[in-house]
Amino acid sequence: MNKFQDIYYHLPVFLQNTFLSLYGYQVNKNRYAGNYSRFKKEADARLSWRREALEEYQFQKLKSTLKDAIDNVAYYKKSYKDCGISINDIKTISDFRNLPLLEKEPLRKAPSEFISKKYDPKTLQVIHTTGSTGTPLNIFCTPEVRQNNYAFYDRFLEIAGLFTHGKRATLGGRIIVAADQNHPPFWRNSSLQKNMLFSSYHLTEKNIPFYIEALRKYKPDLIDSYPSSLFVIADFAKRNGMDLKNITKGITTSAETLFPEQREIISEMFGVPVFDQYGAAEMCVFAGQCQQGNYHIHSDYGIVEFLKSDGAYGLPGEECELVCTSFINPVMPLIRYRIGDIGVLSAQECSCGLPFPVLEKIVGRIDDSIVTPDGRIIGRLSPVLKGFPIKEAQYVQNTRDSIEVRIVK
């Protein structure tokens, strides 16, 4: 734990709330100032486009992304030259598959090689990926890139009929409560964001009633949660005959695979549908459910390829590796990036009217959990090792009172 965290955990709750509110104000300013309104307006306008117009938009964005990368990014300039690839070789969207795939290891080893020379690295923001094996990546961007990214996220919320500017409750990966705290509140209030942040790491049978009471009192318009965290609450309520209806108007989940049984119990207990979203800190893919319940790949965000093990394109219904190319981050363009997830494309045409292709399911993103001696189920372990010089990590638990941590330095 660093000194700053140590100071934060020893502050009174009201000062922690004050700090989080001020921090949240800066976060919102970063996300929604600048060009956010323009990005949102342009993204909304593309919802009415025909599929052919979107495909032409993709091709034009692809060509400009490639040209910019070859001209200004050291990694692509060298690797494409070594492969004998020129921008003039890309005459159709089909030619795109001739470009080499991008592995995570070069990005992990030398992130500076992927930063466009048009930007001063000292002025850039850094986003750390979760790194499911304990190996986060550093993704560089600007406030403008973050604004564009959140324009897409808010568009997803509106497509799903969810509330974008009301009160929000979040159960995510931020460690906002000291690990050894054994009494409520297990939540903190970022009032300037209108967001109540609930700890995902204190959900014991003893503590869950306090969470439910706090949610009832707060009555968020939207709950944004890891699937596993909200499922633990809903499952507890069902087993104990507790009513969770009328707590919230909407629920969205992300970051983990949402299993059918989790969706069913969460929706049943809260009395509202669950809308799941799939994205990445690398900002190279974005998909979300519409009001019909179908996942749509937002094809104006980037290109998603479905590749079989032999490198051929997969057909609808086949499990394939997802390979992603982003359009929204010119600071660090990722082209044909192997994100590490498996997905299934659908041949279905959704009745919602969106021009985006339908994603049948995401097979990847299945995270394991550990169980603490006091019964807490802890998933999303990646924040534990962020900042440490660790290449890979694995957690092995055979008994409740011990964990073996295997690391590659």
Side-chain angles (χ1 to χ4, degrees):
M1 179 185 296
N2 61 41
K3 292 181 179 179
F4 175 78
Q5 287 176 311
D6 197 26
I7 293 171
Y8 168 82
Y9 291 142
H10 285 86
L11 292 174
V13 172
F14 81 92
L15 285 179
Q16 291 180 347
N17 287 335
T18 300
F19 167 78
L20 288 175
S21 293
L22 293 174
Y23 175 75
Y25 171 78
Q26 289 298 323
V27 169
N28 270 11
K29 185 177 179 181
N30 187 15
R31 291 175 179 176
Y32 301 114
N35 289 309
Y36 167 83
S37 296
R38 176 173 66 85
F39 290 137
K40 179 63 165 55
K41 183 178 180 180
E42 291 173 352
D44 287 345
R46 291 191 292 271
L47 293 178
S48 62
W49 286 11
R50 297 177 63 86
R51 186 73 60 86
E52 295 77 15
L54 271 175
E55 290 173 354
E56 177 61 23
Y57 175 84
Q58 275 193 316
F59 182 54
Q60 296 303 325
K61 292 291 288 187
L62 172 63
K63 286 202 301 184
S64 63
T65 299
L66 280 173
K67 185 178 187 311
D68 200 34
I70 292 171
D71 290 345
N72 299 295
V73 179
Y75 176 85
Y76 296 110
K77 183 177 293 188
K78 181 180 185 305
S79 64
Y80 286 8
K81 182 179 179 181
D82 291 345
C83 295
I85 294 172
S86 165
I87 186 65
N88 296 323
D89 298 326
I90 311 300
K91 295 182 172 61
T92 68
I93 199 79
S94 300
D95 297 330
F96 179 51
R97 68 177 70 188
N98 297 323
L99 299 176
L101 297 173
L102 172 61
E103 307 287 345
K104 289 193 177 190
E105 196 57 26
L107 189 61
R108 181 179 294 117
K109 283 185 174 179
S112 61
E113 292 292 299
F114 290 85
I115 299 175
S116 170
K117 67 181 182 182
K118 295 193 297 183
Y119 299 88
D120 180 0
K122 296 178 182 178
T123 66
L124 299 176
Q125 297 182 356
V126 184
I127 300 172
H128 305 287
T129 67
T130 54
S132 58
T133 60
T135 317
L137 302 173
N138 294 326
I139 304 299
F140 292 83
C141 66
T142 62
E144 185 175 67
V145 172
R146 300 293 300 278
Q147 290 152 18
N148 198 358
N149 188 61
Y150 275 93
F152 280 92
Y153 178 72
D154 286 348
R155 185 178 73 173
F156 148 71
L157 292 178
E158 291 176 359
I159 288 170
L162 299 175
F163 296 82
T164 57
H165 300 297
K167 291 193 300 181
R168 184 174 303 196
T170 301
L171 290 94
R174 294 191 181 277
I175 305 174
I176 56 166
V177 177
D180 59 356
Q181 182 174 316
N182 57 13
H183 57 83
F186 302 106
W187 47 88
R188 298 294 183 264
N189 186 16
S190 179
S191 59
L192 297 178
Q193 284 186 301
K194 296 189 290 186
N195 191 9
M196 190 77 78
L197 304 167
F198 288 78
S199 171
S200 292
Y201 303 104
H202 294 75
L203 287 165
T204 65
E205 294 274 314
K206 174 185 173 183
N207 294 337
I208 290 174
F210 296 116
Y211 281 75
I212 293 174
E213 181 183 355
L215 285 168
R216 281 198 186 117
K217 183 177 180 181
Y218 185 58
K219 292 186 72 68
D221 294 301
L222 176 66
I223 296 178
D224 184 354
S225 177
Y226 288 163
S228 59
S229 299
L230 203 57
F231 170 73
V232 167
I233 295 174
D235 182 61
F236 176 92
K238 184 171 184 177
R239 287 186 286 107
N240 290 276
M242 303 176 74
D243 186 11
L244 303 181
K245 293 180 175 62
N246 299 316
I247 282 179
T248 185
K249 299 174 183 176
I251 294 172
T252 181
T253 56
S254 61
E256 301 170 339
T257 299
L258 174 64
F259 296 105
E261 61 271 20
Q262 291 176 324
R263 180 194 297 277
E264 181 180 350
I265 291 178
I266 293 171
S267 182
E268 173 192 346
M269 296 310 297
F270 282 93
V272 295
V274 179
F275 294 94
D276 191 43
Q277 174 254 321
Y278 167 66
E282 294 98 320
M283 295 181 288
C284 59
V285 57
F286 190 92
Q289 289 186 284
C290 68
Q291 294 191 43
Q292 301 300 317
N294 291 317
Y295 288 88
H296 290 268
I297 301 170
H298 291 229
S299 49
D300 53 345
Y301 189 94
I303 293 177
V304 179
E305 301 172 84
F306 292 77
L307 298 188
K308 297 193 292 187
S309 57
D310 61 0
Y313 278 9
L315 298 173
E318 295 181 327
E319 289 191 3
C320 295
E321 177 185 2
L322 302 186
V323 174
C324 309
T325 299
S326 174
F327 294 153
I328 76 163
N329 188 10
V331 177
M332 183 180 255
L334 301 182
I335 300 171
R336 302 203 80 203
Y337 172 63
R338 302 182 72 176
I339 194 170
D341 287 337
I342 304 297
V344 178
L345 184 65
S346 173
Q348 178 182 353
E349 289 289 336
C350 184
S351 61
C352 74
L354 287 175
F356 308 130
V358 175
L359 182 64
E360 185 174 310
K361 63 179 176 178
I362 295 290
V363 183
R365 296 216 160 177
I366 299 176
D367 281 0
D368 291 325
S369 302
I370 63 171
V371 182
T372 65
D374 60 353
R376 286 180 288 162
I377 299 173
I378 309 296
R380 301 299 292 172
L381 295 168
S382 54
V384 176
L385 296 174
K386 277 188 177 180
F388 288 91
I390 291 172
K391 183 178 180 182
E392 294 180 340
Q394 182 183 56
Y395 300 87
V396 181
Q397 181 176 27
N398 294 312
T399 65
R400 273 202 177 192
D401 59 356
S402 69
I403 300 170
E404 178 184 344
V405 183
R406 303 169 180 174
I407 63 172
V408 179
K409 294 191 294 183

